[in-house]
Amino acid sequence: MFTVNANGAKIPAIGFGTFRMPGADVLRMVPAALKLGYRHIDTAQIYGNEAEVGESIAASGVARSDIFLTTKVWVDKYRHDDFIKSVDESLKKLKTDYVDLLLLHWPKSTVPLAERIGALNEVRDAGKVRHIGVSNFNTALMAESVALSKAPIVTNQIEYHPYIDQRIVLDAARKSGMSITAYYAMADGKVIGDPAIKAIAAAHGKSEAQVVLRWLVQQDGVVTLSKTVGEERARRNFDIFDFELSAGEMQALHALAKLNGRIVNPVNLAPQWD
Ligand SMILES: NC(=O)c1ccc[n+]([C@@H]2O[C@H](COP(=O)([O-])OP(=O)(O)OC[C@H]3O[C@@H](n4cnc5c(N)ncnc54)[C@H](OP(=O)(O)O)[C@@H]3O)[C@@H](O)[C@H]2O)c1
């Protein structure tokens, strides 16, 4: 497996996602993912499954120090005192005394960014969090966060798949030593059956999902998340480190980007995208 180094954080290049995954599925799939070799788990306060993620990790037999665990603070917990309390609650549910990465889940809020970045730094200084980051930020907000933060910002977790052009955000992240963590890699299932992706997959004896995940982790400074409730899919989605896409294939996948390719865009939470 690859590791992405970003401002001091060593992030396993593929993380197991748990969005829209009820507790029972988490209890089945997170242990299965860890057994398959995943060492990066992504959850969030709003997913309502931190307790099951924590239970799964604690019972997995894999050392906590070998797992890169991310959670995200929800927007209604951005006020300083609520923020600190919510992180303590997350740690309790996750059955751990630290997370490897803590993110601000979405940018839009009436709470000043300085207060939120200050709270991220405070929990980091307290040892509750190893690294801090943001999610769904545009480049202006990324720059503001970097300027406001004492500790380095290690990632911006954003929607990224072949139908969306994220070059502007990627360039900005690379310039400040940050990584990009891709979510919605499957573009809500749309990459499956895409003729161009299918052709590249056939040339490598791989699936469309494997090609897209490989395309993501083969980009400098890019980490990808992958979610599935199927063990066989989880195994295949992790099996992306034994082949390489050519420069032409990488470019062909980039060329699938469309102007209206963005899927996740909640008006009450999202910024003005780049
Ligand atoms: N920061 C944010 O705002 C944000 C937003 C969205 C997501 N995320 C994070 O990113 C993670 C990944 O995003 P996502 O949940 O949308 O997942 P995804 O990895 O893009 O997968 C989306 C869907 O594709 C299906 N799938 C997975 N592997 C497949 C394969 N090999 N062949 C065919 N279909 C496949 C899965 O269905 P089955 O489960 O039925 O297999 C899954 O529901 C989330 O779980 C979450 O941790 C963060």
Side-chain angles (χ1 to χ4, degrees), residues 35 44 95 98 133 145 156 242:
K35 211 165 164 193
K95 295 182 180 52
Y98 72 95
S145 304
N156 183 15
D242 63 347

Side-chain angles (χ1 to χ4, degrees), residues 16-18 21-41 49 51-62 67 228-229 231 234-235:
F16 190 75
T18 62
M21 201 184 280
D25 285 330
V26 168
L27 289 171
R28 184 172 55 81
M29 286 307 299
V30 170
L34 290 170
K35 211 165 164 193
L36 287 165
Y38 289 83
R39 288 295 178 270
H40 172 177
I41 309 289
N49 58 19
E52 288 84 358
V53 168
E55 198 177 324
S56 301
I57 290 175
S60 68
V62 178
I67 299 170
T228 174
V229 293
E231 279 187 46
R235 187 189 67 71

Side-chain angles (χ1 to χ4, degrees), residues 15-21 41-44 47 72 74 103-106 134-136 157-161 181-189 191-192 207-210 213 224-230 232-234 236-237 264:
F16 190 75
T18 62
F19 178 42
R20 297 180 287 196
M21 201 184 280
I41 309 289
D42 182 271
T43 183
Y47 299 170
K72 316 179 193 84
W74 189 242
L103 308 179
L104 300 177
H105 205 146
W106 282 92
V134 296
S135 179
N136 299 301
Q157 187 178 124
I158 54 171
E159 178 180 342
Y160 191 23
H161 45 70
T181 304
Y183 73 71
Y184 262 56
M186 300 296 115
D188 229 5
V191 302
I192 314 295
S207 69
E208 297 95 303
Q210 287 170 319
L213 294 169
T224 187
L225 300 173
S226 173
K227 170 264 172 187
T228 174
V229 293
E232 183 49 27
R233 279 185 179 175
R236 282 190 266 123
N237 292 354
V264 186

